Amino acid sequence: MLLYCALEAAGVPLEVGDVQAVFAVAELDYVTVQAVITWIATAEAPGFVR
């Protein structure tokens, strides 16, 4: 749920296949999921170059 919320807060629209990917990533261990959430939050931070 935290991963989905992080994506939503970053304004990332989810397609049907994306939802399946979010569930697959969410099944990984807590540390890995938290790292992905941190990456998402960092990507929306000012100064992040894409």
Side-chain angles (χ1 to χ4, degrees), residues 13-44:
L14 296 178
E15 303 285 328
V16 173
D18 295 341
V19 173
Q20 292 172 339
V22 168
F23 283 129
V25 171
E27 290 178 357
L28 299 173
D29 62 280
Y30 176 79
V31 173
T32 303
V33 173
Q34 193 58 46
V36 172
I37 291 170
T38 300
W39 296 339
I40 293 166
T42 302
E44 69 179 25

